[in-house]
Amino acid sequence: MSQDSLQRPPAEIRHADELARLRAEDTGHRPPGWALSLSAARRFIVGDDRADVSRKFVGDPSLIDRALVTLATSRGLMLVGEPGTAKSLLSELIAAAVCGESTLTVQGGAATTEDQIKYSWNYAMLVSEGPSPRSLVQAPMLRGMAEGKIVRFEEITRCPLEVQDSLLSLLSERVLAVPELTGADSMVFAREGFNVIATANTRDRGVNEMSAALKRRFNFETVFPIADLRTELDLVEREAAGLLRRSGVEIAPRRDVLEVLVTTFRELRDGRTTQGQSMERLSTVMSTAEAVSVAHAVGLRGWFLRGEAGNAADVVECLAGTAAKDDGEDLARLRRYLEQQVPKKSDGAQWQALHDARHLLPG
């Protein structure tokens, strides 16, 4: 399948040229089972202008150093933070750099079972042949251990506690038992390079809180929202432009419209204006990832409806679906922001256009 036909290829396909170049030029010491040294993996994630390697994660570089060192040990890596702070993207990039594959992934949820983590069976073959390696269906954890690769466990705290705790022996003993088989096939020992990267949203704490025993098997790293406005604006512009190109939009998003969008997101997220004045904040997640999604929708509206880049009115139209998710009062808070805070902005026509389009909010 052509990469161009995929909506979102995994990191090892999107950045295949960079990974190949880094591997060819890598002279650093590599941990056992790793595809790259720690320094090369770091350059892949944070970028290296001299080597023509793009920056893929906007955040504290020391976080990357600590994460890579953790994975080189026998402890798993737990990435925690607010929703939309690129925890999943970071885990994907790290897995692609460390083992060249980021698709060994378990998506946690209330319906996640132990079979989806370890292994299951082809029941037609199981009935006809009995338990055998041929009838065994490998899940991500078994494959990761057998092949010495990184396994990503997304939203681990959304899983029931008994499912979470099925990782205890895997992370401590580094062995997965298959009691239905006999002999050497009954035990899968982890090869060099195997480890686990898990993610959890801080808003999900208390849903299925991890046991103390499981926490001890992870090093925790917090991924914080982007602190600087310009950095966040540059990221939203770059990501939205890429999404729009893949969606068939032939015009780049307008920087002034994106600046209004990103500033609005930051103020509604923080409950404070750029001038430092307190204001109402929304209860829903107003993350950078959500800002990219709205910027993408704004560009699509402008291009496919009018043949132009999106404008401030499109921002208002697209904001409603983002704001009114968890709390019906959030839509009223957004309306008050457009009516009371936006008129105080005196730095551009787009703010005036945003205020003028406030009537486009539903309700």
Side-chain angles (χ1 to χ4, degrees), residues 133-251:
R134 275 173 30 93
S135 57
L136 184 71
V137 179
Q138 298 184 2
M141 201 64 67
L142 190 150
R143 275 196 58 201
M145 297 181 73
E147 300 174 16
K149 294 183 177 179
I150 298 292
V151 179
R152 300 167 54 210
F153 202 131
E154 297 291 316
E155 308 286 1
I156 189 170
T157 53
R158 306 296 301 178
C159 296
L161 291 175
E162 60 271 18
V163 174
Q164 294 181 30
D165 283 346
S166 67
L167 298 178
L168 288 172
S169 62
L170 306 184
L171 291 173
S172 58
E173 305 298 331
R174 274 351 203 214
V175 62
L176 191 158
V178 187
E180 296 89 346
L181 301 180
T182 59
D185 295 325
S186 65
M187 304 290 281
V188 178
F189 294 92
R191 294 184 178 274
E192 296 286 6
F194 164 74
N195 215 327
V196 176
I197 306 175
T199 65
N201 288 325
T202 52
R203 295 201 179 198
D204 288 339
R205 283 183 176 171
V207 175
N208 290 301
E209 183 68 22
M210 294 171 63
S211 66
L214 186 56
K215 286 180 178 179
R216 287 196 300 270
R217 287 157 174 79
F218 284 96
N219 280 352
F220 281 63
E221 293 289 345
T222 301
V223 183
F224 293 99
I226 300 173
D228 180 64
L229 170 61
R230 292 299 158 187
T231 302
E232 185 172 12
L233 176 57
D234 291 342
L235 175 63
V236 171
E237 183 176 30
R238 183 177 73 244
E239 294 298 319
L243 290 172
L244 289 169
R245 283 194 301 271
R246 296 189 66 85
S247 299
V249 177
E250 300 175 8
I251 189 171

Side-chain angles (χ1 to χ4, degrees), residues 21-22 25 42-43 47-54:
R21 191 165 61 251
L22 285 168
E25 300 171 354
R42 182 186 191 275
R43 290 161 57 206
D48 186 345
D49 292 337
R50 291 176 299 179
D52 193 27
V53 176
S54 61

